Amino acid sequence: MEFSLKGMLNPLLALQQAGKRPHTIQFPFEEKKVAERYRGLHFNDLEACIGCGTCSTICQNEAIDMVEINPGDSENAKPGDSGLRPRVDNGRCCWCALCVEVCPSGSLSLTTHYNYVSEDANSFLWTPGVSNPDGHKELSFVSDTSHSLLDYARVPMRELEGKERIKSFAEVVLGYADEEAKKEAARCIGCSICTEVCPVHMHIPEYISAIEHGNNEDAIRIIYDNNPIGETCGKVCTRRCEEVCPLGARGEAIAIRWLKRYATEKAENAEIIREIVNPDIKPPNGKKVGIIGAGPSGLTVAYYLALRGFDVTIYEAKAKAGGMIMYGIPKYRLPLDSLDKQVEYMQSVGVKIHFNTKVGEQISFTEIEKNHDAVFIGIGYEVPYTIGIDGENLENSIQAVNFLRDINADKHVDIGNRVAVIGGGNVAIDAARVSRRLGAEVTILYRRREEDMPADWEEIEGAKHEGVIIKTQAIPLNVVDDGSGRVKGIRYGNARMVTDEKGGRPRPELIEGDEHILELYTIIGAIGQEADYSFIPEDIKEKIGFKSGRIVTNEWQQTSVPHIFAGGDIVNRTADAISAVADGYKAVKGIEQFIFAK
Amino acid sequence: MREKETTLYLGPQHPGITGNMMVKLKVTGDTIVRAETHVGYLHRGFEKLMEVRNWMQVFPIVCRICVPEPDPNEENLARAIEILEGREVPERAQYIRVMVLELARLASYLLWFGGQSGSAGLYTMPQWSVGDRDYILDLFEELTGGRVYHMYIWAGGVRRDLPEGFADKVLRVMDYLEKRLKHYDNLMLDNSIFQKRAQGVGVIDREKALDWGIVGPPLRGCGFKHDVRIDDPYLVYDKLQFEVPTETGCDVWARALVRRREFEQSISIIRQIMEKMPGGEFYNKVPNPLHWKVPAGDVYVKTESARGEFGYYVVSDGSDKPRRVHVRGPAYVHGITLLEHLLQGANLADVSFIMNSLGTCPPEMER
Ligand SMILES: Cc1cc2nc3c(=O)[nH]c(=O)nc-3n(C[C@H](O)[C@H](O)[C@H](O)COP(=O)(O)OP(=O)(O)OC[C@H]3O[C@@H](n4cnc5c(N)ncnc54)[C@H](O)[C@@H]3O)c2cc1C
Ligand code: SF4
Ligand code: SF4
């Protein structure tokens, strides 16, 4: 081709650009202002982080490891926190921010900080938040639940409508369908923080994963590995696990309890449980263990000892096993057939139960001691506290645990049409909801505010939904007599909350003159229970240590009398079924060690 | 007497902003007798790595297969998974994805303007075009949080919606680039020296072009109207008006003209996108990334990248990790076999020049 004049001169037009100011950043004289969602170096809000390690799991560059910031952090961490924090190797990181998108707590972010120069290669290992304490001032790519890759919304549980519920004792919770359970299970991030706080350390992520993949039988086997009343817990557990589930930090915790319920309910009867769990029962080892009380703790000890070849016998005062889960928890939460099948299964592996055998009456403690190599006491807290006000002994002033026991034993209790329950715990709520089902109008009187109520929030919601009126900051003063020795009503005073000088929670203080009378047919006390240790001989009682009404044991549930073990409500203050199971599970190891060390 | 043959080694340090590779040249005087490409300097085992990473973790890996234009990798992987899963992509996300892919094409061509001219000794051009490319990187930074690696397109849509006022900024950059094209022409394409260097150099045998598997601008520079966006439209390309320019010279010059004309087409596509983009969702969320399983199956997907048809063959065995992700970038043919072939008999001064005209991209050859 020819060289044209135009073609030779054209390039010279570039000279027009000669005086133009450069449009790129003139580093180092000018600082770059980065975009709002810039993905620079990490920052971690160390307080909000719970050390779940999800960031480390997702990082495809394996740039994150979980470390203790100070030695001992993992031991000293609060429940629901592993004590570890992510450390990022900036030599590996590619700033994809996947870690940010899966951080359940939202503590991890990327910042506008992109320029880091050092001759020290090790200094590229950052513990975000420690290495850049001021990083919170330069946050850019942050975690936001609307963008997160995690699913923060729980699959809702279907329940009976409030109006339907109070017509009968039918189970309120209807359970997940297969697809619902899988969907809920799929939300799990598998961090195991829940396992840590579960008193018995159930293998939660493992059984959730089995459910997600439709392997219910695996889930059941995993559950029975350390909890023989998994179905009960699936329905009524106090679920500390859900309180710490990282998804709960900004959304709804995994419905761990409902998933357990879903899996265990799939085994319809004791034979099927037996078939699925297919436990490995060791040949008899000739050792005998006597257990007092067939509550959750006693049943757990009995079940796992039976599997290990021990000859176990439970002595139970009542006609049925289960303790408070049988005679306390109302049937609309835990139906009878569910409990029966769990107990039947335990009997099928060799657990012997002597019903209607109250120790101290039908058989003496000494005789049990004599006939067994070790004894476990799991008698629970059955004796109700009285409120301590005038008129409490009037006719139709009753106690919640007795009331619930009678109802669960199918006895008739005449509570009339107007009932007040005194107390703010789960027992009070149960008594109130049962009273609703018997047709009464029900008011709960509680001394403090609703947020102070020890009862489970879902229970409180349930009660309200069923029409229970909750009157807070109301202090009972005395029960009013109708003149013939029967209850006519309760006189109570309204209270204001005053801050506690010692820094404790606010306390209620009566407002002078603000007193009222609530007319009633029945008043139900529900402010707590204690144990009846009268069957234990004095000399042994002296040797066993007690503290605030509870028996003191070592970590294996062993009392100061080496062959006597104890667990459940009489030992732990948390006083729920899963803690009782945990005590039982520990006692199994304790008893084994004790007997074989002899 | 036969002239003595000498061995020269070009590279492996970026033989003309193409990425690390080496070309071993046997020359007599200035003439190349034989060329042998040596790759392996960049091998990071991406494909193998993907077999031991879960589906979500694969996204930040694929973008790194191509530095100047990572987005077709993200698009391919996302689309492959979407097909295997039957996952719908919200319409807004499809528009956004086309916008990203075309911005990436522009950014990639801007680098090419620089590389092509630079390797001909025209050093002003890279200063301009790489500087202008920064405007697009600024847009990417604002949209995705990253300038070079965007990690933005993923299965189910895109990662974030457009920031406030983003569309206006995009349009402003388009207007600017359109104006700049005139300057580029003056300096480069209307420059007799450049023309002299480009015409009749690196001529591809038209008859063999299809058999060899040549794609993109090199193929269109041989007169074949081949473009995945038209032949096998994906996303919303079938709702947009644009031309597929072709040239017939089969040489560096023809390839340059194709790119130059396509640059304008991309600007036009982006303007149409900004006008037509509907509102609504931008992401159809995938399951929990920690246990996301993709149904078993296999699929080949392709995207028209700046260098031509970019294909992914993705196999899932139904588990939480890909069984196989095979990446087939255009450079695999262009930068190895075709390059070796075109260099035979070429002048030593034209080696980088020809490499650039083919869109040689070593990271894409070595996955
Ligand atoms: C109304 C109510 C509702 C509750 N709701 C829940 C709930 O929703 N979730 C939860 O986790 N926990 C709940 N709890 C607490 C839970 O039921 C108890 O923490 C748990 O049952 C304690 O188990 P345990 O093994 O200590 O003994 P218990 O369950 O109290 O059982 C003790 C057993 O020992 C027997 N016994 C006592 N003395 C003797 C004797 N001398 N001889 C022979 N046998 C004897 C009793 O008859 C009883 O069967 C509730 C408790 C009540 C009262
Ligand atoms: S994912 Fe978030 S909360 Fe969990 S360890 Fe990492 S930074 Fe902490
Ligand atoms: S930004 Fe990406 S590469 Fe970096 S630590 Fe987070 S997940 Fe790993």
Side-chain angles (χ1 to χ4, degrees):
Chain A
M1 67 146 277
E2 291 308 307
F3 279 57
S4 67
L5 185 63
K6 188 166 173 281
M8 292 301 288
L9 293 179
N10 261 337
L12 297 177
L13 291 171
L15 291 171
Q16 290 171 347
Q17 307 289 311
K20 216 182 119 193
R21 278 174 55 80
H23 60 69
T24 45
I25 304 282
Q26 303 303 292
F27 190 79
F29 310 107
E30 225 181 305
E31 277 278 322
K32 177 173 161 54
K33 196 176 167 306
V34 299
E36 229 167 276
R37 27 177 106 143
Y38 189 76
R39 299 195 309 259
L41 301 177
H42 293 73
F43 172 74
N44 189 16
D45 178 345
L46 298 167
E47 286 299 310
C49 173
I50 44 160
C52 66
T54 315
C55 48
S56 169
T57 309
I58 197 76
C59 179
Q60 81 290 343
N61 289 326
E62 294 178 7
I64 301 184
D65 57 351
M66 301 296 295
V67 298
E68 283 187 336
I69 293 171
N70 299 304
D73 274 359
S74 36
E75 272 101 78
N76 306 329
K78 58 182 191 296
D81 182 346
S82 72
L84 304 175
R85 293 295 178 264
R87 180 177 64 177
V88 179
D89 182 347
N90 284 304
R92 303 182 70 110
C93 175
C94 70
W95 297 282
C96 63
L98 279 191
C99 49
V100 173
E101 311 268 33
V102 300
C103 170
S105 72
S107 65
L108 197 64
S109 318
L110 297 188
T111 65
T112 56
H113 188 174
Y114 63 94
N115 195 358
Y116 177 74
V117 184
S118 168
E119 286 174 9
D120 174 12
N122 286 331
S123 75
F124 286 81
L125 272 181
W126 281 62
T127 306
V130 177
S131 307
N132 53 345
D134 286 336
H136 58 90
K137 294 181 191 151
E138 29 186 53
L139 298 186
S140 48
F141 199 96
V142 295
S143 165
D144 170 336
T145 47
S146 60
H147 292 132
S148 172
L149 288 172
L150 304 178
D151 199 345
Y152 285 90
R154 182 181 275 203
V155 175
M157 174 52 77
R158 281 172 293 113
E159 291 184 342
L160 282 184
E161 256 308 300
K163 283 194 213 85
E164 279 305 306
R165 291 186 202 170
I166 56 173
K167 287 183 190 157
S168 73
F169 280 77
E171 198 173 359
V172 170
V173 170
L174 298 175
Y176 280 144
D178 294 349
E179 283 316 307
E180 289 172 322
K182 283 186 189 167
K183 187 160 176 239
E184 179 62 14
R187 298 204 299 130
C188 173
I189 54 176
C191 64
S192 294
I193 292 258
C194 47
T195 301
E196 285 302 309
V197 300
C198 171
V200 70
H201 309 306
M202 291 190 72
H203 318 294
I204 301 168
E206 289 80 6
Y207 71 70
I208 289 184
S209 167
I211 293 169
E212 183 192 351
H213 298 112
N215 306 329
N216 276 317
E217 298 196 351
D218 283 347
I220 291 174
R221 278 187 285 273
I222 296 169
I223 290 168
Y224 272 85
D225 182 59
N226 54 7
N227 187 344
I229 55 163
E231 185 166 330
T232 298
C233 292
K235 291 172 189 283
V236 303
C237 187
T238 45
R239 64 198 196 295
R240 259 163 279 166
C241 51
E242 291 182 20
E243 275 164 36
V244 300
C245 173
L247 288 169
R250 293 190 295 165
E252 293 174 298
I254 302 282
I256 301 174
R257 174 175 57 171
W258 297 149
L259 288 173
K260 184 161 49 239
R261 174 198 150 105
Y262 164 82
T264 47
E265 269 195 333
K266 291 270 166 183
E268 283 157 7
N269 57 44
E271 287 91 75
I272 297 179
I273 303 177
R274 175 88 197 248
E275 224 168 83
I276 295 174
V277 178
N278 188 20
D280 170 23
I281 308 173
K282 294 275 177 308
N285 60 20
K287 302 292 177 188
K288 292 169 88 177
V289 179
I291 295 161
I292 305 174
S297 64
L299 288 172
T300 305
V301 178
Y303 175 72
Y304 291 108
L305 282 181
L307 296 189
R308 284 164 169 76
F310 287 83
D311 178 351
V312 287
T313 309
I314 306 182
Y315 301 87
E316 166 55 52
K318 302 210 176 62
K320 285 177 104 33
M324 278 304 180
I325 61 177
M326 167 63 213
Y327 291 102
I329 300 177
K331 297 302 161 217
Y332 62 85
R333 293 208 282 128
L334 178 60
L336 188 59
D337 50 355
S338 164
L339 188 54
D340 279 351
K341 100 181 169 198
Q342 298 174 71
V343 174
E344 228 176 89
Y345 163 62
M346 290 189 227
Q347 287 171 311
S348 82
V349 303
V351 172
K352 287 175 280 178
I353 311 178
H354 292 189
F355 291 106
N356 302 314
T357 310
K358 184 163 185 178
V359 180
E361 287 177 15
Q362 278 76 22
I363 185 170
S364 75
F365 184 77
T366 320
E367 195 171 342
I368 293 179
E369 267 188 300
K370 204 169 68 203
N371 294 338
H372 299 90
D373 298 284
V375 179
F376 177 86
I377 310 176
I379 54 164
Y381 264 32
E382 289 198 307
V383 186
Y385 287 135
T386 48
I387 310 169
I389 53 173
D390 281 347
E392 222 182 322
N393 299 328
L394 293 172
E395 195 184 330
N396 269 34
S397 163
I398 61 174
Q399 291 297 342
V401 279
N402 299 342
F403 166 59
L404 292 168
R405 178 195 61 212
D406 289 346
I407 295 295
N408 280 340
D410 252 350
K411 288 192 189 146
H412 174 73
V413 185
D414 177 21
I415 56 166
N417 55 1
R418 285 175 66 83
V419 171
V421 180
I422 316 294
N426 283 323
V427 177
I429 302 274
D430 280 340
R433 294 177 73 180
V434 165
S435 303
R436 279 297 285 149
R437 282 166 174 74
L438 298 179
E441 274 173 34
V442 183
T443 308
I444 290 179
L445 296 184
Y446 179 58
R447 303 166 64 84
R448 297 169 191 265
R449 299 163 303 180
E450 190 173 311
E451 61 261 43
D452 301 319
M453 287 176 83
D456 187 319
W457 65 269
E458 270 181 305
E459 285 295 306
I460 299 174
E461 289 300 308
K464 285 188 188 163
H465 191 68
E466 290 163 11
V468 171
I469 296 160
I470 300 180
K471 201 151 178 17
T472 52
Q473 288 166 248
I475 302 181
L477 300 171
N478 66 284
V479 183
V480 185
D481 192 336
D482 74 346
S484 66
R486 275 196 90 270
V487 168
K488 179 164 187 282
I490 184 153
R491 196 162 60 86
Y492 68 92
N494 283 324
R496 68 169 83 82
M497 300 306 288
V498 292
T499 36
D500 185 71
E501 288 85 48
K502 288 182 212 124
R505 58 179 183 156
R507 2 178 225 96
E509 187 183 82
L510 268 180
I511 303 168
E512 201 75 32
D514 194 359
E515 290 178 7
H516 308 266
I517 290 180
L518 189 64
E519 296 222 355
L520 299 170
Y521 189 87
T522 303
I523 165 166
I524 304 179
I527 60 158
Q529 300 90 249
E530 60 188 334
D532 173 9
Y533 299 118
S534 59
F535 64 93
I536 306 177
E538 283 309 316
D539 57 325
I540 293 183
K541 248 194 238 168
E542 267 162 35
K543 280 188 234 154
I544 295 179
F546 287 90
K547 196 177 167 200
S548 324
R550 291 197 150 86
I551 295 180
V552 179
T553 70
N554 66 12
E555 60 180 312
W556 303 111
Q557 306 300 127
Q558 192 173 27
T559 66
S560 335
V561 182
H563 67 278
I564 300 177
F565 292 75
D569 288 1
I570 54 165
V571 172
N572 68 64
R573 288 183 56 235
T574 35
D576 55 4
I578 191 69
S579 304
V581 170
D583 285 355
Y585 196 74
K586 282 181 276 177
V588 168
K589 291 194 184 135
I591 291 171
E592 220 175 10
Q593 283 168 14
F594 164 73
I595 289 182
F596 291 115
K598 270 205 283 194
Chain B
M1 190 188 88
R2 270 192 70 202
E3 244 184 290
K4 191 167 176 270
E5 212 177 81
T6 314
T7 308
L8 294 176
Y9 297 90
L10 186 77
Q13 289 86 354
H14 294 252
I17 51 172
T18 61
N20 304 69
M21 71 183 282
M22 197 249 280
V23 192
K24 190 171 161 193
L25 302 164
K26 296 278 183 195
V27 296
T28 55
D30 271 357
T31 309
I32 292 153
V33 182
R34 219 161 348 105
E36 215 177 84
T37 50
H38 287 261
V39 293
Y41 297 95
L42 277 175
H43 191 73
R44 288 157 290 174
F46 287 131
E47 289 183 353
K48 199 67 201 162
L49 183 64
M50 288 191 246
E51 291 170 18
V52 292
R53 290 291 182 268
N54 72 33
W55 289 99
M56 185 53 80
Q57 291 176 318
V58 171
F59 279 94
I61 296 175
V62 292
C63 54
R64 285 181 275 170
I65 290 176
C66 178
V67 189
E69 199 195 13
D71 311 270
N73 288 280
E74 297 181 6
E75 168 61 28
N76 274 337
L77 179 67
R79 187 146 26 96
I81 295 174
E82 286 153 6
I83 292 171
L84 289 172
E85 280 196 310
R87 181 174 300 280
E88 301 261 331
V89 182
E91 211 185 355
R92 180 175 177 79
Q94 300 194 31
Y95 275 88
I96 297 178
R97 273 154 72 156
V98 170
M99 176 194 77
V100 167
L101 291 168
E102 294 305 320
L103 283 173
R105 190 184 318 281
L106 291 177
S108 182
Y109 281 172
L110 286 167
L111 268 190
W112 164 81
F113 273 117
Q116 192 69 75
S117 313
S119 55
L122 191 55
Y123 293 127
T124 307
M125 195 62 206
Q127 312 291 330
W128 285 5
S129 72
V130 172
D132 288 340
R133 171 174 169 263
D134 255 24
Y135 285 121
I136 297 183
L137 301 193
D138 286 345
L139 291 176
F140 276 133
E141 179 185 326
E142 196 176 330
L143 178 66
T144 73
R147 297 179 71 77
V148 175
Y149 294 132
H150 309 136
M151 299 152 182
Y152 178 69
I153 294 174
W154 63 15
V158 295
R159 204 162 159 184
R160 295 282 190 278
D161 205 350
L162 304 189
E164 277 277 301
F166 188 71
D168 289 342
K169 287 184 189 161
V170 172
L171 292 174
R172 275 206 296 278
V173 173
M174 292 306 110
D175 293 347
Y176 169 81
L177 290 177
E178 197 174 44
K179 277 196 221 115
R180 284 294 273 170
L181 266 183
K182 294 200 187 68
H183 299 154
Y184 289 12
D185 286 347
N186 284 335
L187 188 59
M188 178 178 168
L189 294 168
D190 290 346
N191 179 339
S192 291
I193 300 176
F194 183 82
Q195 292 173 357
K196 177 90 180 140
R197 286 289 306 270
Q199 290 170 358
V201 172
V203 180
I204 298 171
D205 183 349
R206 188 175 194 280
E207 302 299 307
K208 299 208 175 113
L210 285 176
D211 291 350
W212 280 351
I214 298 170
V215 291
L219 187 63
R220 294 193 284 273
C222 293
F224 292 96
K225 200 171 177 148
H226 178 278
D227 187 319
V228 189
R229 293 174 294 174
I230 294 282
D231 303 341
D232 207 350
Y234 46 96
L235 300 171
V236 289
Y237 278 110
D238 55 357
K239 295 184 184 149
L240 304 163
Q241 304 288 317
F242 62 100
E243 273 170 35
V244 176
T246 55
E247 292 287 334
T248 51
C250 305
D251 52 3
V252 174
W253 177 243
R255 301 196 269 281
L257 289 182
V258 165
R259 291 191 177 96
R260 160 68 178 77
R261 289 169 60 195
E262 274 177 24
F263 199 91
E264 285 174 313
Q265 294 302 314
S266 291
I267 293 179
S268 153
I269 291 175
I270 291 169
R271 286 183 175 141
Q272 294 172 52
I273 289 282
M274 298 335 267
E275 198 185 302
K276 293 189 176 167
M277 187 184 296
E281 293 295 316
F282 58 91
Y283 181 38
N284 173 10
K285 198 165 174 169
V286 302
N288 183 338
L290 302 168
H291 4 160
W292 177 20
K293 290 185 175 170
V294 170
D298 63 323
V299 59
Y300 177 75
V301 290
K302 51 194 178 178
T303 294
E304 185 70 25
S305 77
R307 291 173 312 290
E309 175 178 329
F310 206 120
Y312 265 50
Y313 177 58
V314 177
V315 184
S316 171
D317 56 10
S319 74
D320 62 343
K321 298 180 182 72
R323 174 67 196 82
R324 179 81 172 94
V325 179
H326 180 85
V327 179
R328 204 283 192 185
Y332 192 67
V333 168
H334 297 177
I336 302 178
T337 39
L338 181 60
L339 178 67
E340 286 181 357
H341 185 78
L342 293 185
L343 290 184
Q344 264 177 48
N347 188 291
L348 183 55
D350 287 337
V351 178
S352 297
F353 197 56
I354 293 173
M355 277 179 99
N356 265 293
S357 78
L358 297 177
T360 308
C361 176
E364 183 189 297
M365 305 173 201
E366 303 175 33
R367 299 93 35 184

